[in-house]
Amino acid sequence: MTSSQRSSLMVALKWIDLIALILILAAAWSLESNLWRIKEVVFGAQPSDVIFFGLLLLSWNIGLSSLWLYRSKRLASWRIELSDAVKAASLCTLVLAALVPVAQWSSISRRWLFIFWALATTGLFILRLLKRVVLRQFRLRGRNLRRVVIVGTGARAQQMADLLTRHPELGYQLAGFIDNVKEPGLIGPLEQMAEILATNVIDEMIVALPIKTFYQEISNIIRIAEDQGVTVRVHSELFDLRLARAVAEQLEEIPVLSLYTGPPVNWRLTIKRLIDLVGATALLILLAPLMVVIALLIKLTSPGPIFFIQERIGYNKRRFLMFKFRTMVADAEQRQAELEQFNEAQGPVFKIKHDPRITRFGAFLRKTSLDELPQLFNVLLGDLSLVGPRPLPVRDFERFNEFWFNRRFSVKPGITCIWQISGRSQTTFDEWIQQDLAYIDNWSLALDLKILFKTLPAVLRGTGAM
């Protein structure tokens, strides 16, 4: 696709977006009131309304362009498209809300603005998905291709070449390799980089040289590509990563490569936090009568406070106070030292099957996991999540003898996790840690929901008591 064709496509996409937004305006009006209201707005419009409407469309056009909504997205995922649609719809809604009092459009209410935002987000996202489908078909038919040259001929370079060959829908046409090593497909040595770029049709360059060995050469290559306006992509596997995932990000004006060992901070974690807040609030309201009864029974059956408050290790080893219903005698922590010799658990944790400090009612609370209910307050405070590795006491943490155990602290701890639904009483400490790490490595919202749905049956069986 030539530059003029790309420019025409961008203009067409802008017009499609504006037409879609006008239709969404009409749809929002029809949902807010009815169709005759649209006729009244259109045929009863004053010249000033027409001017403001034109300014609205112009501001939308400028706003959408400023968000880079029309840049090439052939390497972007649908999640990026959704994020762009949300940003674009939010900007258009804010502009519209700002013009409402100026233009005195009394027919536009807050409810109407929300309806418009929801429809605009959905509409712009669907348009981008359709654009991806259409462009994919063009690329599969040999249109809208970008010629790319790969710098290097080693394993990384061959990996990139194989990927481009196996995925023609990405729309890349391999022009060849540039390297000082003679291999099939070589179009020239590194010393002739400037001449090669100047005399060939090259849209993009992928640098697949070892950074440590060719740092100065790569720096020169990028400078040459910058001078000639060629897009450069650098193979991001700079290090031999075993667990971390590399994500290119921007820290203000500085580009950085972030290596995540836990879930990256994105919209999924926002939804997880929303589920925590809604779920904890709903459960506290629903279970409030039961919690009052439990509190009264604790007070009546054994002397001491209702709640057991203990310092635990949380996210990235931050300490916090965790709440539980008291299930032991009041001086249980002071008596633990004399019971250490009877510890039956492997590893740094402490556990006695028939712990003499547990009260009769406390044994029932532990068996049914009802002692954990106050931790819903910790969820509201942000110390815990509904799902996550169980927070450990300071005593257990200080006895860790392997550094790799600490990776379990790279996510927020939770009330329940894989350990609870897999029968914790039969789980060794090492298996417990491995399950926590498996949760971190495979985390998703679907996994959280699966664990939540399986927790209640595990608790009822008595195998998931926490």
Side-chain angles (χ1 to χ4, degrees):
M1 181 180 290
T2 65
S3 58
S4 61
Q5 289 174 327
R6 282 195 293 271
S7 178
S8 300
L9 177 61
M10 184 177 70
V11 171
L13 289 174
K14 288 183 177 181
W15 275 107
I16 291 172
D17 279 346
L18 288 179
I19 293 172
L21 288 170
I22 293 172
L23 294 175
I24 289 168
L25 275 172
W29 261 312
S30 67
L31 288 174
E32 172 69 10
S33 51
N34 48 46
L35 292 175
W36 68 265
R37 183 62 176 163
I38 299 176
K39 295 180 181 178
E40 179 183 310
V41 170
V42 173
F43 293 107
Q46 302 298 317
S48 59
D49 294 328
V50 176
I51 293 173
F52 274 110
F53 187 71
L55 290 174
L56 177 66
L57 295 182
L58 178 62
S59 62
W60 278 353
N61 181 278
I62 295 173
L64 295 180
S65 299
S66 67
L67 291 174
W68 286 21
L69 214 62
Y70 305 105
R71 63 180 174 177
S72 176
K73 298 288 186 67
R74 66 181 66 213
L75 297 184
S77 67
W78 65 267
R79 299 177 183 85
I80 300 296
E81 300 282 15
L82 177 59
S83 174
D84 287 346
V86 171
K87 293 176 185 176
S90 300
L91 179 62
C92 291
T93 305
L94 288 174
V95 170
L96 182 58
L99 285 177
V100 164
V102 179
Q104 297 182 348
W105 289 330
S106 58
S107 59
I108 296 180
S109 63
R110 291 181 179 177
R111 180 172 177 269
W112 187 96
L113 286 172
F114 176 76
I115 292 173
F116 171 78
W117 175 85
L119 292 176
T121 300
T122 304
L124 291 175
F125 179 54
I126 290 174
L127 282 176
R128 262 124 202 90
L129 292 183
L130 291 175
K131 180 199 73 173
R132 290 168 68 92
V133 172
V134 171
L135 290 179
R136 184 176 184 273
Q137 293 303 315
F138 271 104
R139 291 162 187 160
L140 290 175
R141 288 167 173 76
R143 306 290 298 276
N144 189 29
L145 300 181
R146 293 181 68 80
R147 283 177 59 81
V148 60
V149 63
I150 298 178
V151 181
T153 54
R156 292 180 177 180
Q158 297 299 328
Q159 179 189 35
M160 291 301 303
D162 180 61
L163 185 145
L164 297 180
T165 302
R166 287 186 290 105
H167 295 279
E169 71 277 6
L170 293 176
Y172 282 102
Q173 184 180 55
L174 182 59
F177 300 88
I178 300 177
D179 201 354
N180 292 333
V181 180
K182 291 185 177 181
E183 291 286 346
L186 190 71
I187 59 176
L190 297 176
E191 294 78 11
Q192 297 179 10
M193 174 69 67
E195 291 80 2
I196 293 172
L197 295 183
T199 56
N200 289 274
V201 178
I202 302 295
D203 297 303
E204 297 185 15
M205 173 195 300
I206 298 177
V207 179
L209 293 173
I211 300 293
K212 183 177 180 180
T213 309
F214 292 90
Y215 178 82
Q216 189 57 50
E217 288 85 347
I218 292 174
S219 180
N220 293 332
I221 288 168
I222 293 175
R223 179 182 55 79
I224 292 170
E226 283 181 328
D227 290 341
Q228 300 197 34
V230 176
T231 299
V232 178
R233 302 187 189 276
V234 179
H235 196 295
S236 64
E237 290 187 3
L238 307 180
F239 312 103
D240 183 19
L241 303 178
R242 296 182 299 108
L243 300 169
R245 294 179 298 278
V247 179
E249 296 179 314
Q250 195 85 6
L251 187 62
E252 293 298 336
E253 71 278 3
I254 302 175
V256 295
L257 186 67
S258 303
L259 306 179
Y260 289 100
T261 54
V265 179
N266 55 24
W267 63 272
R268 293 183 186 83
L269 287 185
T270 302
I271 294 178
K272 179 181 174 70
R273 180 58 182 153
L274 182 62
I275 292 173
D276 287 342
L277 290 174
V278 174
T281 301
L283 287 172
L284 282 172
I285 294 173
L286 181 66
L287 300 173
L290 175 61
M291 294 177 69
V292 171
V293 172
I294 292 173
L296 290 173
L297 290 174
I298 291 173
K299 204 65 180 173
L300 291 173
T301 55
S302 65
I306 294 173
F307 297 105
F308 173 66
I309 303 175
Q310 186 183 51
E311 192 173 49
R312 294 287 180 111
I313 306 298
Y315 176 59
N316 280 341
K317 296 179 286 298
R318 290 176 174 85
R319 300 191 180 193
F320 70 97
L321 296 178
M322 193 181 80
F323 311 121
K324 297 179 68 174
F325 281 127
R326 182 173 60 85
T327 59
M328 293 186 173
V329 295
D331 61 342
E333 288 204 292
Q334 290 73 27
R335 292 175 56 184
Q336 181 168 331
E338 62 189 57
L339 297 173
E340 288 285 356
Q341 57 182 319
F342 303 111
N343 185 16
E344 300 171 3
Q346 297 178 348
V349 296
F350 179 83
K351 182 180 178 182
I352 300 177
K353 188 172 183 180
H354 300 291
D355 196 321
R357 299 171 299 164
I358 299 177
T359 64
R360 182 176 298 180
F361 185 56
F364 168 77
L365 292 178
R366 288 194 168 200
K367 181 68 174 177
T368 57
S369 293
L370 293 175
D371 61 318
E372 308 289 339
L373 293 181
Q375 290 172 37
L376 293 171
F377 290 108
N378 286 114
V379 175
L380 293 182
L381 292 172
D383 300 321
L384 291 178
S385 177
L386 291 176
V387 183
R390 289 294 293 155
L392 291 175
V394 176
R395 175 252 180 220
D396 297 352
F397 167 69
E398 290 177 344
R399 299 191 179 201
F400 274 17
N401 56 7
E402 296 283 351
F403 288 130
W404 64 271
F405 291 170
N406 291 320
R407 193 158 70 87
R408 74 186 304 277
F409 301 117
S410 63
V411 298
K412 186 181 293 187
I415 296 179
T416 183
C417 199
I418 296 176
W419 185 46
Q420 277 69 38
I421 64 175
S422 61
R424 77 167 196 167
S425 58
Q426 290 80 36
T427 304
T428 66
F429 178 75
D430 283 352
E431 290 173 339
W432 172 19
I433 295 295
Q434 292 290 355
Q435 288 173 346
D436 285 342
L437 299 185
Y439 168 78
I440 294 171
D441 294 336
N442 299 286
W443 177 80
S444 67
L445 292 171
L447 178 59
D448 272 8
L449 294 176
K450 180 180 178 181
I451 292 173
L452 285 173
F453 286 131
K454 287 189 174 183
T455 295
L456 183 57
V459 170
L460 293 176
R461 291 193 305 267
T463 60
M466 295 172 265

